[in-house]
Amino acid sequence: MPPILYPVAGFLGAMWAVYLVDFIVPGSFIEYGLVPRTFRRLPGIALMPFLHANFTHLIGNTIPVAVLLSLTVLTRERPWESIIAILVGGGVLLWLFGRPANHVGASGLVFGLITFLIIVGIREKQFVSIAVAIAVGLLFGGSLLGGIIPSFGSSVSWDGHLFGAISGVLVGIATSGKVTHFF
């Protein structure tokens, strides 16, 4: 593994370590998730990506996080600034406008990275950026479209997905060099 990917492995390792400790220790770390407009649960913005409801949820986030973080780290200058901005931006939007539920998991980051990488590819019009955008669109486009559709009564945080995606678009626009006119 190239040293540039060590932080990606660290991020994934932290997701798994938190889940394993939560599995072993009495109680539940899920109680530290993000609950919109609740000041006591505001730290959930930072904690949410490391908290998972169950093993299936953790597995479902691990692969896309690994792929998308790796693509971001390998192709962007100062990638962690963008990654943190997507996490914080999506979390703040979710805290302000999300459903009053306990939101956990890294899928907001996943959806943010999907839109970020696609927007950067469209705006920069460079071979690598375009190739990454196409690959991300092919791999994750269906999940993106299906994941942001409101599903009221579901335990899936579609609003977390939506606000993560919005954050990715905003960070992509703010950090990509060239402006493309869509009209």
Side-chain angles (χ1 to χ4, degrees):
M1 172 187 311
I4 194 169
L5 293 178
Y6 289 171
V8 173
F11 190 93
L12 293 167
M15 285 172 44
W16 278 82
V18 168
Y19 181 80
L20 292 174
V21 169
D22 189 29
F23 187 76
I24 295 167
V25 173
S28 177
F29 291 172
I30 298 301
E31 295 307 315
Y32 297 102
L34 179 109
V35 175
R37 295 167 303 286
T38 305
F39 286 102
R40 184 177 67 81
R41 300 295 281 279
L42 196 56
I45 291 172
L47 299 175
M48 182 173 56
F50 303 101
L51 304 173
H52 291 84
N54 53 48
F55 186 70
T56 304
H57 187 209
L58 177 62
I59 291 290
N61 278 323
T62 297
I63 294 168
V65 167
V67 170
L68 294 164
L69 279 181
S70 295
L71 285 171
T72 304
V73 167
L74 290 170
T75 62
R76 305 301 307 156
E77 287 186 34
R78 298 179 4 211
W80 290 100
E81 290 176 14
S82 296
I83 293 163
I84 291 168
I86 291 167
L87 277 170
V88 172
V92 167
L93 288 170
L94 181 60
W95 190 83
L96 290 171
F97 304 112
R99 292 175 297 130
N102 186 23
H103 299 269
V104 296
S107 55
L109 173 62
V110 167
F111 282 76
L113 290 172
I114 293 168
T115 58
F116 170 76
L117 292 168
I118 291 171
I119 290 296
V120 166
I122 292 169
R123 289 176 52 88
E124 290 184 351
K125 295 185 177 180
Q126 301 295 319
F127 177 76
V128 171
S129 303
I130 292 170
V132 168
I134 290 169
V136 167
L138 290 172
L139 289 171
F140 300 105
S143 296
L144 173 66
L145 296 175
I148 61 173
I149 296 171
S151 54
F152 299 101
S154 170
S155 63
V156 174
S157 180
W158 64 266
D159 41 349
H161 299 170
L162 175 63
F163 294 124
I166 291 170
S167 181
V169 168
L170 296 174
V171 173
I173 290 169
T175 61
S176 56
K178 297 181 181 179
V179 177
T180 301
H181 297 286
F182 293 99
F183 305 102

